[in-house]
Amino acid sequence: MSEQGPVVRPRRLRQSPVMRAMVAEHEVAPRQLVLPVFVAEGASEPRPISSMPGVVQHTLDTLRRTAAEAAEAGLAGVMLFGVPEHQDAEGSGALAEDGILNVALRAVRAEVGDDLLVMSDVCLDEFTDHGHCGLLGADGTVDNDATVGVYARMAVMHAECGAHVVAPSGMMDGQVSALRTALDLAGHVDTVVMAYAAKYASAFYGPFREAVASALTGDRKTYQQDPANAREALREVRLDVEQGADLVMVKPALGYLDIINETARTVDVPVAAYNVSGEYAMVEAAAQRGWIDRDRAIAETLLSIRRAGADVILSYWALEYAQKSGRR
């Protein structure tokens, strides 16, 4: 501190937009964003999701248009979730050739080719009437190994339908190894596996369950991660990488920024994070009431996930953000 004031003035680098842009340490570019999309079997027009303002269950036509818009905006990809007309205990719609997810994958791949990554959710919760991510055993708990067998079959079907990336999200033990083996044996050696490696049993999935019409019985605490645990999450992440995961994902994002950061420091594969439905809904609800600046809150949310270490972000704001920010 001199008689004239401080010699070191960090504010010098914050004086103008150009200066701030020059020294910015992180950014969120469209190429790092993936748009999750829902497609409903039998829908003749998009169906709004009340707890996720601005998000809909698509028809096949609106899904194709949205995928084309995502490619034009420079997004990395779209993650498809199917909403069947009928659910049953085995989630049989997941393995039906004419099931909504398989039909949607073929339609989107035909629309965008290789201009946009077509990604598929490999899980059963959308298809089961009990809402769990797998098959139930006689005791009512999820049968890990039987479920993994179904996931492997789903992944091969999705690859045959045109998925560039398959994403097992059920948190079953051994799911990545099973998918990688099945894909390779079927000749899909270039299909990417993006593992939901640290998926927590979170309260922030509530709106998603409306989006996929899931009537969950009980909870998923026996297979999804305990929010109290960090070391366990890193163990799960390392296991998925050892089993052949090409990318690993942390879900949710905002309550688990520390896990994203530790994962990025731990593994040598790209790290994705899912900015989930409840995180989206909170911002939208507060913005509707005039309590926060919506656009700034969205930008800050996505930037926080990137700053924590995520290379890829799945977000329901992805397309809107990319269209506003311009292609980079």
Side-chain angles (χ1 to χ4, degrees), residues 174-227:
Q175 61 184 15
V176 172
S177 177
L179 263 66
R180 185 72 274 160
T181 299
L183 289 165
D184 290 354
L185 288 174
H188 300 292
V189 295
D190 292 327
T191 301
V192 169
V193 175
M194 178 165 66
Y196 286 64
K199 181 179 179 181
Y200 283 85
S202 172
F204 291 99
Y205 303 146
F208 177 91
R209 289 175 187 158
E210 179 195 351
V212 297
S214 173
L216 178 64
T217 303
D219 59 50
R220 297 173 177 154
K221 293 180 181 179
T222 64
Y223 47 100
Q224 293 179 350
Q225 290 257 239
D226 185 338

Side-chain angles (χ1 to χ4, degrees), residues 14 55 61 65 74 100 117 125 143 154 165 211 220 230 245 273 276-277 282:
R14 301 196 288 267
V55 180
D61 285 341
R65 289 198 294 272
I100 183 58
L117 294 176
D125 57 327
D143 185 327
M154 287 178 69
V165 180
R220 297 173 177 154
V276 299
S277 60
M282 288 192 301

Side-chain angles (χ1 to χ4, degrees), residues 14-133:
R14 301 196 288 267
Q15 292 181 75
S16 69
V18 174
M19 183 70 75
R20 291 192 295 272
M22 182 183 74
V23 300
E25 298 173 25
H26 300 87
E27 68 171 347
V28 180
R31 63 180 177 79
Q32 299 160 326
L33 299 176
V34 173
L35 178 69
V37 287
F38 306 101
V39 56
E41 188 173 26
S44 57
E45 60 184 23
R47 301 169 181 166
I49 299 166
S50 64
S51 56
M52 300 177 69
V55 180
V56 301
Q57 293 178 347
H58 283 283
T59 69
L60 284 171
D61 285 341
T62 62
L63 175 66
R64 281 189 286 261
R65 289 198 294 272
T66 298
E69 290 177 10
E72 177 62 27
L75 292 190
V78 288
M79 174 69 75
L80 272 62
F81 296 90
V83 184
E85 287 187 294
H86 304 288
Q87 299 167 323
D88 57 37
E90 290 74 36
S92 57
L95 293 174
E97 286 286 348
D98 60 351
I100 183 58
L101 185 52
N102 292 323
V103 170
L105 287 167
R106 288 191 288 266
V108 172
R109 182 62 187 269
E111 182 71 33
V112 300
D114 294 327
D115 293 336
L116 182 77
L117 294 176
V118 180
M119 304 181 177
S120 71
D121 178 60
V122 180
C123 197
L124 289 177
D125 57 327
E126 300 101 302
F127 300 95
T128 56
D129 55 11
H130 46 71
H132 278 285
C133 296

Side-chain angles (χ1 to χ4, degrees), residues 126-161:
E126 300 101 302
F127 300 95
T128 56
D129 55 11
H130 46 71
H132 278 285
C133 296
L135 304 177
L136 300 185
D139 61 356
T141 63
V142 173
D143 185 327
N144 187 95
D145 295 358
T147 298
V148 167
V150 176
Y151 287 177
R153 293 171 62 193
M154 287 178 69
V156 172
M157 292 186 76
H158 292 178
E160 290 172 349
C161 290

Side-chain angles (χ1 to χ4, degrees), residues 228-241:
N229 294 351
R231 288 193 302 270
E232 182 185 31
L234 296 178
R235 182 187 183 207
E236 292 274 11
V237 166
R238 287 191 292 267
L239 282 169
D240 281 357
V241 173

Side-chain angles (χ1 to χ4, degrees), residues 26-29 32-34 248-264 271-280 283 296-318 321:
H26 300 87
E27 68 171 347
V28 180
Q32 299 160 326
L33 299 176
V34 173
V248 292
M249 187 194 298
V250 176
K251 180 182 180 181
L254 292 185
Y256 301 89
L257 294 175
D258 59 324
I259 306 301
I260 296 171
N261 185 262
E262 288 295 331
T263 298
V271 176
Y274 200 139
N275 177 208
V276 299
S277 60
E279 297 166 352
Y280 173 93
V283 171
R296 287 183 62 195
I298 292 170
E300 193 172 336
T301 294
L302 297 178
L303 187 59
S304 73
I305 300 167
R306 279 281 296 129
R307 193 178 63 246
D311 302 292
V312 180
I313 303 173
L314 284 76
S315 175
Y316 301 99
W317 290 307
Y321 182 89

